[in-house]
Amino acid sequence: MNRKLFRNASIFTPVDRGTPLSGKDQGKVVCLPKGAVYCRCGVIEDIGEERELLSRLSPSQVDVEIDCGGRCVIPGFVDSHTHMCFAKRREEEFNLRLDGVEYLEILRRGGGILSSVRAVRASSEDELHTVTKQLALSALRLGTTTVEIKSGYGLDVESELKMLRVIRRIGRETPLDVVATFLGAHAVPEEFSTTPDDYVNLVIQEMIPAVSAQGIARFCDVFCEKGIFTVDQSRRILETARTAGLAPKIHADEVHDLGGSALAAELKAVSAEHLLRASDANIRAMARAGVVGVLLPATAYSLKKAYAPGRRMIESGLPVAIATDCNPGTSYTESMPFVFGLSVLQMHLSVSEALVASTINAAHAIGMSEYAGSLDVGKKADLLLLDGDSPAILAYHAGVSPVVQVYKQAEPVHET
Ligand code: NIG
Ligand code: FE
């Protein structure tokens, strides 16, 4: 039997109440200074103060005991927004941006997302899988135990399905739990540059039905941005997707305040992501509509833009999640510890709010709260051992990972 007891742990975890945590609740974290977690076959069966938990357990019920040495233990990170399925890095573009060329200008010149599209179309499924798996395993070592991965560098029916098959394979061939999002509306591909509405029709009439028929994605996302997809086009795509069983997500108000967050509220989208330019009125509208705001501070960092107003969003009652946005253009990082630090030091979240944002709220943003996001009984035993006294170490010890061990369903990931 695979029954494990984690003891002598300083546990910090949110408690799942069935909905994302917002307002004052966003900062609610339970702390058990001398805590223990008992699990069977990778699932949490009990959690509490060590002394109390041991009184509920007979020694014969424990096969393996892990002494956490008094270290801080938190739930595994849920990275709820990534584009980590791609074929090539874009270092030359990074240099252009350092020289002052704007991100959307690079895309207008046929680079950016479109250069990743050319590389993905030219790659075999195995090549794509090799690159993606390497990033996914690196994310796992940095503490991510559940990850969302978007398609969106294929932009034709076959190449989008190829990406989604690779994403599915990552879930099967790594310890990570993987959630796939269809992002066929990530950019208008070059062959449709003069007829963008025809591309929207292709997404609606061919891609969404194919993705839905294969059951290969759970969500549908759109890059709603000036010069990319309009609010009306985004609405048409997301409404069709919802009818086909793909829940709506939206890249909203990243570079311009185009109205993507208002659309998220109107559609009661599961989440709205980026939100660097979202207005206060739209933030409140999203809060009323039950949308989760997924903030991606590593993108603002890399684009040298003003950060999303995380503090104000929490005060307005919007449940906030944080994610890496891992992609070869605007945020080439798979590190949740880095994003955690940015959200505390640049978006002014408290450490507890950042913990909620990177675990339980993120799990709700990708429909995984049944399995992940908190150390609650019945959830997977995904837990991280930190080299520190509290989760503050994630922001305090900058530029390195204080994650010394990752347990995915109670199995260690790092070699010891
Ligand atoms: O979330 N905004 C659109 N998509 C990505 C960037 C993708 C890319 O540049 O390859 C983002 O920032
Ligand atoms: Fe993104």
Side-chain angles (χ1 to χ4, degrees):
M1 279 297 259
N2 191 354
R3 298 167 301 182
K4 281 191 182 164
L5 174 71
F6 293 86
R7 47 170 295 273
N8 195 13
S10 173
I11 298 172
F12 292 78
T13 179
V15 176
D16 191 3
R17 301 192 190 161
T19 52
L21 299 178
S22 61
K24 293 247 181 309
D25 288 343
Q26 169 107 33
K28 284 209 178 127
V29 164
V30 169
C31 171
L32 302 165
K34 197 163 171 18
V37 180
Y38 176 66
C39 42
R40 185 194 295 255
C41 300
V43 174
I44 299 174
E45 285 217 334
D46 202 354
I47 175 167
E49 287 293 349
E50 180 171 322
R51 205 151 14 135
E52 288 171 23
L53 189 145
L54 288 180
S55 72
R56 298 192 283 267
L57 212 60
S58 79
S60 67
Q61 286 174 284
V62 178
D63 300 315
V64 182
E65 194 176 295
I66 295 155
D67 183 342
C68 299
R71 280 185 162 135
C72 174
V73 169
I74 61 172
F77 292 127
V78 177
D79 191 348
S80 55
H81 179 139
T82 85
H83 309 252
M84 65 166 68
C85 182
F86 59 84
K88 275 201 188 119
R89 291 191 300 263
R90 303 197 320 245
E91 260 165 78
E92 53 331 311
E93 178 190 321
F94 180 69
N95 282 316
L96 276 180
R97 286 203 288 108
L98 291 182
D99 288 342
V101 186
E102 286 290 326
Y103 172 65
L104 288 178
E105 175 55 27
I106 292 170
L107 181 61
R108 269 193 294 275
R109 295 180 190 175
I113 295 172
L114 295 177
S115 83
S116 287
V117 170
R118 287 190 290 275
V120 163
R121 287 180 178 177
S123 297
S124 70
E125 216 163 298
D126 281 344
E127 287 164 340
L128 208 48
H129 179 256
T130 304
V131 176
T132 311
K133 186 170 174 181
Q134 205 180 346
L135 265 177
L137 290 177
S138 169
L140 176 65
R141 287 189 294 270
L142 290 161
T144 298
T145 48
T146 301
V147 66
E148 183 250 22
I149 310 179
K150 301 175 196 290
S151 68
Y153 294 127
L155 309 191
D156 62 39
V157 179
E158 249 329 295
S159 309
E160 282 295 304
L161 290 173
K162 175 170 76 179
M163 287 191 73
L164 290 168
R165 284 194 298 273
V166 169
I167 294 167
R168 179 173 62 191
R169 225 174 119 190
I170 299 298
R172 290 180 179 165
E173 296 180 18
T174 73
L176 282 150
D177 283 307
V178 175
V179 172
T181 294
F182 166 63
L183 178 55
H186 195 190
V188 176
E190 280 160 319
E191 61 275 22
F192 286 93
S193 60
T194 56
T195 51
D197 274 326
D198 289 351
Y199 183 65
V200 173
N201 289 337
L202 181 75
V203 171
I204 288 177
Q205 288 160 13
E206 291 187 38
M207 290 189 189
I208 291 175
V211 169
S212 152
Q214 297 196 15
I216 203 164
R218 198 148 154 194
F219 297 98
C220 178
D221 195 344
V222 174
F223 187 15
C224 180
E225 179 57 64
K226 195 167 164 187
I228 317 282
F229 294 98
T230 65
V231 171
D232 282 344
Q233 289 170 331
S234 304
R235 183 187 291 105
R236 280 182 63 211
I237 291 167
L238 293 177
E239 280 178 343
T240 307
R242 172 149 31 215
T243 309
L246 301 169
K249 285 177 166 282
I250 183 165
H251 277 65
D253 304 334
E254 176 179 354
V255 188
H256 301 94
D257 177 8
L258 196 73
S261 47
L263 180 64
E266 175 195 321
L267 295 178
K268 297 196 185 328
V270 181
S271 61
E273 335 227 327
H274 286 288
L275 306 174
L276 305 191
R277 310 296 302 265
S279 69
D280 285 348
N282 286 338
I283 290 169
R284 286 193 299 273
M286 288 192 295
R288 285 193 297 275
V291 178
V292 179
V294 178
L295 307 186
L296 311 162
T299 308
Y301 169 83
S302 174
L303 291 178
K304 299 199 264 184
K305 300 280 184 206
Y307 290 82
R311 172 86 264 121
R312 243 179 29 240
M313 289 172 172
I314 291 175
E315 279 157 15
S316 305
L318 184 70
V320 163
I322 52 174
T324 61
D325 196 19
C326 179
N327 76 75
T330 59
S331 180
Y332 186 40
T333 181
E334 67 278 28
S335 172
M336 283 298 282
F338 175 55
V339 164
F340 194 106
L342 288 178
S343 70
V344 169
L345 294 167
Q346 301 292 333
M347 297 199 302
H348 312 291
L349 270 61
S350 71
V351 168
S352 296
E353 287 167 344
L355 186 63
V356 165
S358 54
T359 56
I360 191 64
N361 278 5
H364 281 287
I366 57 169
M368 288 296 283
S369 61
E370 195 184 326
Y371 312 101
S374 60
L375 302 180
D376 280 304
V377 171
K379 292 201 189 193
K380 295 190 181 190
D382 296 348
L383 36 102
L384 312 182
L385 234 69
L386 305 184
D387 186 19
D389 302 332
S390 80
I393 194 71
L394 289 156
Y396 172 46
H397 200 177
V400 296
S401 170
V403 178
V404 289
Q405 186 55 282
V406 178
Y407 291 93
K408 177 64 189 141
Q409 285 171 257
E411 291 300 325
V413 162
H414 290 263
E415 284 160 25
T416 42

